[in-house]
Amino acid sequence: SAPSETELYETEGCLNLPKRQTAIHKGTVSVVAFLFAVLGLFVYSPPAQAAVASGFNPGNIISNELFYNGRAMTSSEIQSFLNQKLSKCRIGTPPYLPGAKSPSGSGNIIATNCLRDFRQTTSSRVADAYCQGYVGVPNESAADIIAKVGLSCGISQKVLLVMLEKEQSLVTDDWPVTRQYNYALGMNCPDSGPGNSANCDAASAGFALQLYLGARQLKVYLGNPNLFGYKAQQMNTIQWSTKTTCGSSQVYIENSATAALYIYTPYRPNQAALDAGWGMGNECSSYGNRNFYLFYNTWFGDTQMSS
């Protein structure tokens, strides 16, 4: 079961209120993927304009055309975007020294760079039914990795950037720690740790690997819709939050992209969460899918445009 709504964990530069979930299989208890951030609510500096969640459609959070566009952004466009979103990285200035322990006292280790400057030697991966493989290269930039993963798996680079922010605040965090990179998309992090905390599989650690496995999993959802508990083109029962006492609602999910987001984050934001903009709603609010919508809408525009 998921931790309580008020359990806090720190992604260092930001405070998140996390929820984790397992993919819902039909007729089996085996788990395909474990992913972070049902809430993804953190101390965020919103743009000058107020966050508007009034356009949030629970049955169509984002169009298939946008979600599955693997050519949405080039590497150079991603790099420019990352530079724009973080004007100054504090890593390298005391006490935020690479390899040092976090000054928060969490015990986490400060990373070598912020996402805009992050580089990693990547490994090659073979093509399969969901992605076209990956050619690894030495010292590859985060922008290159995001661009290549999106193209290989047919998942929008804009979607991947939003997920990196929603999951680990990596786009805007000015002093991330290594754990944020190691589990950038929360892939293979079951709720089997103490107090239902994330017990992440070390074999899935690494920024590039997390991106590839996470993007591939979104295509697994698309290719095997009958294996999961939320389905497009039908009514679905979706809880408001992890608290079963808060009840659930009926949602007609219109498309595969929205179904994937609910498999990933299986809660629907209630009206209090939507009215709160970037803030907190009430005891029955959840924020993951609201925040996906707000980030995408703020950064890239209408979630319903087809191109």
Side-chain angles (χ1 to χ4, degrees):
S1 61
S4 71
E5 284 279 335
T6 56
E7 180 182 347
L8 291 171
Y9 85 106
E10 192 171 14
T11 55
E12 307 309 331
C14 308
L15 285 178
N16 283 354
L17 298 172
K19 292 293 164 289
R20 293 168 271 280
Q21 61 95 25
T22 59
I24 304 171
H25 279 60
K26 183 178 181 179
T28 177
V29 295
S30 65
V31 175
V32 169
F34 300 84
L35 298 156
F36 281 121
V38 167
L39 285 182
L41 178 67
F42 50 83
V43 180
Y44 174 68
S45 297
Q49 69 271 26
V52 178
S54 59
F56 179 87
N57 178 354
N60 190 341
I61 299 173
I62 186 171
S63 70
N64 284 347
E65 291 83 0
L66 290 176
F67 194 85
Y68 298 111
N69 178 12
R71 298 181 182 273
M73 296 178 78
T74 65
S75 176
S76 62
E77 289 171 337
I78 295 168
Q79 189 64 60
S80 295
F81 175 83
L82 293 175
N83 293 343
Q84 174 192 1
K85 290 302 172 189
L86 184 64
S87 60
K88 183 179 180 180
C89 181
R90 287 196 279 177
I91 293 178
T93 60
Y96 311 108
L97 301 178
K101 287 188 177 181
S102 165
S104 71
S106 65
N108 289 319
I109 303 301
I110 295 176
T112 56
N113 283 300
C114 295
L115 186 63
R116 68 178 191 185
D117 304 313
F118 179 81
R119 288 183 173 271
Q120 178 184 22
T121 294
T122 54
S123 300
S124 296
R125 300 188 66 83
V126 299
D128 62 12
Y130 307 107
C131 298
Q132 297 175 2
Y134 193 97
V135 177
V137 299
N139 201 35
E140 194 164 19
S141 70
D144 283 345
I145 295 168
I146 294 166
K148 288 169 62 176
V149 168
L151 183 61
S152 175
C153 299
I155 299 296
S156 168
Q157 291 83 7
K158 296 177 181 180
V159 167
L160 294 177
L161 286 165
V162 167
M163 290 173 66
L164 287 170
E165 185 72 1
K166 182 172 78 76
E167 295 296 318
Q168 295 287 358
S169 313
L170 274 172
V171 173
T172 61
D173 198 332
D174 59 2
W175 57 282
V177 296
T178 56
R179 184 175 176 83
Q180 287 170 259
Y181 287 104
N182 284 340
Y183 301 106
L185 289 186
M187 190 66 190
N188 288 329
C189 288
D191 297 340
S192 57
N196 296 319
S197 61
N199 185 19
C200 296
D201 179 9
S204 299
F207 178 75
L209 182 58
Q210 282 278 302
L211 270 170
Y212 192 90
L213 293 178
R216 181 183 179 277
Q217 191 62 35
L218 293 173
K219 292 300 289 292
V220 170
Y221 299 155
L222 177 65
N224 303 276
N226 291 327
L227 292 180
F228 302 94
Y230 301 105
K231 300 178 178 64
Q233 301 296 311
Q234 70 177 53
M235 294 297 296
N236 294 261
T237 301
I238 302 177
Q239 289 181 207
W240 294 112
S241 75
T242 59
K243 296 179 180 178
T244 56
T245 54
C246 288
S248 60
S249 64
Q250 296 296 305
V251 177
Y252 183 85
I253 297 178
E254 298 177 20
N255 58 24
S256 299
T258 300
L261 289 177
Y262 280 120
I263 297 169
Y264 189 92
T265 303
Y267 306 100
R268 172 186 174 184
N270 64 6
Q271 194 60 48
L274 297 176
D275 291 343
W278 292 107
M280 295 184 69
N282 59 28
E283 67 278 4
C284 287
S285 292
S286 62
Y287 306 94
N289 284 312
R290 181 203 71 178
N291 285 359
F292 179 95
Y293 173 83
L294 287 177
F295 277 124
Y296 195 101
N297 193 273
T298 301
W299 287 355
F300 304 117
D302 193 347
T303 63
Q304 297 306 312
M305 295 179 65
S306 60
S307 62

